[in-house]
Amino acid sequence: MLQMNAEQGFPLITISSAPSKVSDGAGEDTPLQDRGHWANKTEYLLAVLGHVVGLGNVWRFPYLCYRNGGGVFFVPYLLFLAICGIPLFLLETSLGQYTSLGGVCAWRNFCPLFGGLGYATQMMILHGCVYYTTVLAWALYYLVHSFQPQLPWSHCNNTWNTDSCFQFEGHNFTANVTAIPENAASSIMEFWRREVLQLSSRMEDLSPVSWRLALCLLAIWVLCYFSVWKGVKSTGKVVYFTATFPFFTLLVLLVRGVTLPGADQGIIYYLKPNPTRLADPQVWMDAGTQVFFSYGICMGSLTALGSYNRFNNDCFKDCFTLCILNSGTSIVAGFAVFSILGFMAQEQGIDISEVAQSGPGLAFIAFPRAIAMMPLPQLWAVCFFLMIIMLGLDSQFTGIEALMTSLTDLYPTFIRKGYRRELLLLLLCAVSFLLGLIMITPGGLYVFQIYDHYSCSGPSLLLLSIFQTMAVGWLYGPDRYFSAIKSMIGYRPWPVFKVCWRYLTPILSTGTFFFSLVRWTPPVLAKRLVAPGWAIGLGWLLTLSSVSMLPVWATYALLKTPGSLHKRIYQLKNGNVTPSAKAENKHQNTRLQAAATVEGPKVCLTLGINGECPKV
């Protein structure tokens, strides 16, 4: 039955797990589990922080600063952050908090015509579940090998090394440059390509599966499963460690990095301003995509995580706190990364541009080589790869939690009974694990790069941001949405957010979107292999699998709604958005309509097209 619980001065509609019984269709009554809330604000902040502070903060942002004009890169970055990042961050988290619904149901109820936004974000999460854990499996493989008496990538006396293996040893590099064999490969490169990846020169070589990496991948999925299996009850406890440990490790690496010889030169390369780079449109494109990626915008996770907040949580202040911490982490990570790269460049007697890399090249080639040059290399290797794993795990299991939240909200009377949620999660993890095995084959790195380039691509995120701001700024109305936020936090946000949602954010996102299409080039994969046409075609299918949800859902909604086309659009442009609280709360005196309807013996927590309960 529906049970009203008063908390923080206002009543909430919840479903009590103890007394409530719902017929399962088999003649037996089964308790319907409570949807749950964060135990306290700290759990929410750490969960969102763990989601937005990920690998991109460490291995992408510092390199973009170096490549795009050093300190002047902060100009476009902060502009995109103010116009797109913070407004969209507030929009998504407040929408989840107001409706207490995940991405799919929140957008379907908020703007039924654009309900495909929720489905598009969940498709992106599904793609991320398949390929993102591959990075964590690589990191776990390195972590296991970090406990050996001598780091295996620091020498050429391993079974996988070839006659062309050459050990680059500190200052001896420049002195012995003439002694380097032709077609030489460094010991770290051979460890990465021949031992970890067993990389083929052909993308079509998708067998056999590396059983060592398969075990690492399985271990990562087991960790993800038990971090999410009880919903926010387990996720909220895990983030106390996974969200804080990377910050501690990053601080340790920063202190160690700045004390190394050559660190000052690395930091100069990182921040050295080059104002002429601001004239390059690619710099602005890089800044925009970095903001969208690093803040987890348009991925659906922010809405799901916000949906477990209490109704009167101050999401406006939380938004600024989390955004400052995220960007601050990126900047600090740049000092840690480039101080160590500066040390490595000085030790090898080469220019830092030859060691500055982005993405997996930084985490699995450049940094391990630098670590091998330090005293106590095993210690620093363990710290670094634990940090990589924790950063990735946070982003991964919060994404899975967002997906499970959307599924549970769509079919509450089916999933929130017994152990169905745990079994559904187990099925999701098992299928994702099996699909991920393709990326730990000899040609798996190429598949991974195609996934990374297309499945959660910049154009996809930009397109979704355009439609999100259209839904708020032009269909629902920013004034009405401000009133919804005020009913939660007791005051209206700054008026500049209305300007952003209505004009600035969609204009800037649209310009960046079209520029990304005009400047598009085929991706260059590992070993300088240009992606073949069939791989590019599959990549665009990955992109379309998410963005196509927008027109597909809009068409479905229009066909299911009766009346003329004009009347259908009018009915669907504004949904019956209902707050998660009922009756009065301490911020408004109006009686709020409940976000649930009772129909016979079942409870409908979400409304479908025309106010109908979705079929279970």
Side-chain angles (χ1 to χ4, degrees):
M1 68 179 185
L2 272 178
Q3 185 177 19
M4 303 295 295
N5 291 334
E7 188 156 352
Q8 296 186 357
F10 63 93
L12 288 174
I13 291 185
T14 61
I15 297 184
S16 175
S17 58
S20 300
K21 304 248 181 185
V22 179
S23 174
D24 61 5
E28 296 180 359
D29 286 342
T30 306
L32 194 64
Q33 297 175 358
D34 187 7
R35 189 179 188 274
H37 287 95
W38 299 112
N40 50 63
K41 176 174 280 197
T42 302
E43 288 188 1
Y44 166 69
L45 293 177
L46 289 177
V48 178
L49 193 63
H51 172 67
V52 298
V53 177
L55 298 176
N57 297 74
V58 175
W59 75 17
R60 193 168 186 266
F61 179 84
Y63 178 78
L64 290 179
C65 282
Y66 153 74
R67 192 182 71 177
N68 292 316
V72 300
F73 181 71
F74 293 138
V75 175
Y77 175 80
L78 293 176
L79 182 63
F80 268 94
L81 176 60
I83 294 179
C84 297
I86 297 177
L88 288 172
F89 195 96
L90 175 62
L91 169 61
E92 295 188 20
T93 54
S94 60
L95 179 63
Q97 180 173 315
Y98 187 72
T99 61
S100 282
L101 295 172
V104 173
C105 289
W107 280 108
R108 278 176 53 173
N109 290 350
F110 180 76
C111 181
L113 188 62
F114 287 173
L117 284 167
Y119 292 98
T121 59
Q122 304 312 301
M123 286 300 300
M124 287 189 177
I125 293 176
L126 282 173
H127 294 319
C129 287
V130 174
Y131 86 92
Y132 197 73
T133 47
T134 307
V135 179
L136 307 184
W138 295 336
L140 182 58
Y141 193 84
Y142 271 81
L143 177 64
V144 172
H145 284 76
S146 299
F147 291 96
Q148 297 187 15
Q150 187 178 10
L151 294 179
W153 57 81
S154 64
H155 60 87
C156 294
N157 301 322
N158 302 289
T159 57
W160 58 81
N161 292 129
T162 66
D163 295 336
S164 300
C165 179
F166 188 81
Q167 185 176 343
F168 298 105
E169 296 181 305
H171 296 290
N172 296 329
F173 177 81
T174 52
N176 298 330
V177 68
T178 57
I180 301 176
E182 188 178 357
N183 299 323
S186 67
S187 55
I188 177 60
M189 188 63 74
E190 288 206 345
F191 178 78
W192 169 239
R193 289 185 174 179
R194 296 180 58 83
E195 170 63 7
V196 180
L197 300 178
Q198 301 178 13
L199 186 62
S200 170
S201 58
R202 300 173 63 250
M203 189 175 179
E204 294 83 1
D205 293 337
L206 300 179
S207 64
V209 172
S210 170
W211 67 269
R212 295 181 181 87
L213 281 179
L215 290 178
C216 292
L217 186 64
L218 179 61
I220 294 297
W221 272 113
V222 170
L223 287 174
C224 289
Y225 176 79
F226 285 106
S227 297
V228 185
W229 73 317
K230 291 298 182 182
V232 292
K233 295 179 181 178
S234 56
T235 304
K237 302 301 181 289
V238 173
V239 292
Y240 278 103
F241 175 72
T242 58
T244 56
F245 180 82
F247 287 94
F248 170 77
T249 308
L250 186 61
L251 180 61
V252 171
L253 291 174
L254 173 64
V255 173
R256 178 55 182 156
V258 296
T259 59
L260 292 170
D264 55 339
Q265 294 301 313
I267 294 174
I268 290 174
Y269 268 90
Y270 167 50
L271 295 177
K272 184 179 180 180
N274 181 11
T276 60
R277 295 288 291 138
L278 292 177
D280 186 357
Q282 185 62 45
V283 174
W284 297 82
M285 175 66 184
D286 286 344
T289 53
Q290 175 62 18
V291 167
F292 279 89
F293 278 113
S294 65
Y295 278 83
I297 295 170
C298 302
M299 295 291 290
S301 299
L302 295 177
T303 302
L305 296 176
S307 71
Y308 293 106
N309 274 333
R310 304 295 179 181
F311 186 77
N312 290 124
N313 175 66
D314 196 336
C315 54
F316 185 70
K317 290 182 179 179
D318 291 347
C319 172
F320 281 93
T321 301
L322 292 165
C323 289
I324 291 173
L325 287 173
N326 186 23
S327 294
T329 303
S330 298
I331 296 171
V332 171
F335 285 98
V337 168
F338 269 84
S339 62
I340 294 177
L341 294 184
F343 157 76
M344 184 169 67
Q346 177 172 304
E347 287 291 292
Q348 296 183 357
I350 57 179
D351 190 84
I352 196 172
S353 61
E354 298 183 39
V355 296
Q357 301 185 52
S358 178
L362 174 66
F364 301 111
I365 300 175
F367 239 84
R369 183 188 294 173
I371 289 172
M373 299 176 184
M374 298 181 188
L376 299 176
Q378 291 84 355
L379 172 64
W380 302 114
V382 169
C383 288
F384 177 74
F385 290 112
L386 270 178
M387 181 186 70
I388 293 296
I389 292 173
M390 293 300 109
L391 285 172
L393 274 178
D394 273 345
S395 301
Q396 178 68 11
F397 66 65
T398 51
I400 298 173
E401 179 61 51
L403 182 59
M404 291 301 301
T405 296
S406 292
L407 291 174
T408 304
D409 289 341
L410 276 172
Y411 308 105
T413 58
F414 177 76
I415 297 177
R416 285 164 54 183
K417 291 193 295 184
Y419 292 97
R420 292 180 181 180
R421 185 187 189 279
E422 289 85 349
L423 292 175
L424 180 61
L425 175 62
L426 180 62
L427 177 62
L428 171 66
C429 293
V431 172
S432 299
F433 166 73
L434 293 175
L435 292 176
L437 292 177
I438 196 174
M439 299 184 193
I440 52 176
T441 60
L445 179 62
Y446 306 116
V447 180
F448 169 85
Q449 291 176 318
I450 291 294
Y451 255 87
D452 185 46
H453 190 81
Y454 287 100
S455 62
C456 301
S457 63
S460 300
L461 298 177
L462 290 167
L463 190 63
L464 294 183
S465 73
I466 294 169
F467 280 95
Q468 282 190 6
T469 50
M470 285 179 59
V472 174
W474 295 95
L475 298 184
Y476 190 78
D479 288 320
R480 292 179 61 195
Y481 198 70
F482 263 39
S483 299
I485 295 178
K486 182 182 178 181
S487 70
M488 295 187 292
I489 65 177
Y491 59 92
R492 299 171 71 86
W494 300 338
V496 68
F497 282 91
K498 290 195 293 186
V499 180
C500 288
W501 290 333
R502 194 170 179 87
Y503 302 107
L504 299 182
T505 304
I507 290 175
L508 193 56
S509 297
T510 302
T512 309
F513 171 76
F514 283 108
F515 173 76
S516 66
L517 295 182
V518 171
R519 294 291 296 268
W520 181 88
T521 56
V524 179
L525 310 178
K527 292 188 175 182
R528 298 183 179 180
L529 174 68
V530 178
W534 63 268
I536 295 175
L538 289 177
W540 282 111
L541 284 178
L542 289 174
T543 301
L544 291 175
S545 66
S546 57
V547 298
S548 64
M549 295 293 102
L550 291 168
V552 168
W553 174 262
T555 303
Y556 169 77
L558 288 170
L559 291 177
K560 292 288 291 184
T561 305
S564 63
L565 180 61
H566 177 76
K567 184 179 179 181
R568 296 177 189 181
I569 295 175
Y570 181 80
Q571 290 178 348
L572 293 174
K573 71 176 184 178
N574 287 327
N576 185 21
V577 184
T578 54
S580 55
K582 186 180 179 182
E584 298 179 356
N585 64 62
K586 63 181 180 181
H587 294 319
Q588 66 176 27
N589 295 322
T590 357
R591 193 167 184 84
L592 301 175
Q593 182 181 356
T597 58
V598 179
E599 183 179 344
K602 68 176 182 178
V603 179
C604 174
L605 294 179
T606 58
L607 299 179
I609 303 297
N610 300 326
E612 299 174 353
C613 287
K615 295 181 180 179
V616 178

